[in-house]
Amino acid sequence: MTTPLASSAFDSLRLDAVPDQDALRRVYELPKDTAIRKQMTELTEQTRRLIGCSSLVLVASADAEGNCDVSPRGGPAGFVAVLDARTVAIPDATGNKRLDTLQNVIATGRAGLLFVIPGRTTTLRVNGRACVSTRPELLSQLTAVGKPPASALVLGIEEVYPHCPKSFLRSGAWKPEQWLPTDAQPTSAEVTLGQLRMPELTIADVEQAEADSLKYRYE
């Protein structure tokens, strides 16, 4: 007999959740005209420059069943290549080799990007069609994170939208005086150890594995 899963706060809250888009819109005022007008279907000179300044991009994707994922990609400023006004390419630097994002893109042909610039409150949202390319002449251009990558995530732009800075201002993300002290949060090794649920492992084991992973991160 299968044991039923315990209910969660979500199970309770979804019982009277907002049922449709009309009901949702009644909760909010209509967006201003500028919020609509600044959405474009290709890059401008200014948004190209923003991408060139970004050293961190968050990649959103979903599989064929709608299971969602967001994964970070990082490198030196400009590591994401702008191939033309409607195409960008992200080198796939060595990571955990789960390939969640790439498998999702192959399944659905879609992805969303959020470009972040350290110290700046401006973010750029870019959504559209997506594919995974192993074309040698493309990969040979994408060496900003080390040697040519095994593949690249290529996005065919359908929407470009610069976000207002409110979320970063509210978070104090770039204000060290507002950051929590280091000991106010679990370490990366502590989080990993809890996730693995392997009693034979110690914090020292996980810390060493993490150090080795970072040491060889480009290989």
Side-chain angles (χ1 to χ4, degrees), residues 50-70:
L50 278 177
I51 292 174
C53 293
S54 176
S55 58
L56 174 66
V57 59
L58 307 180
V59 184
S61 62
D63 65 18
E65 286 72 47
N67 299 300
C68 298
D69 180 77
V70 178

Side-chain angles (χ1 to χ4, degrees), residues 127-150:
N127 298 323
R129 299 171 297 155
C131 66
V132 177
S133 176
T134 57
R135 187 178 296 182
E137 56 266 37
L138 171 63
L139 302 183
S140 66
Q141 303 174 47
L142 307 177
T143 57
V145 293
K147 63 185 180 183

Side-chain angles (χ1 to χ4, degrees), residues 11 25 31 35 47 51 98 108 119 122 131 136 177 197:
D11 295 307
R25 180 47 67 189
T47 50
I51 292 174
R98 283 174 53 105
T108 66
T122 300
C131 66
E177 67 273 15
R197 303 180 300 280

Side-chain angles (χ1 to χ4, degrees), residues 186-202:
T187 66
S188 174
E190 288 171 336
V191 173
T192 298
L193 186 62
Q195 293 290 112
L196 290 176
R197 303 180 300 280
M198 298 172 65
E200 68 276 15
L201 288 181
T202 67

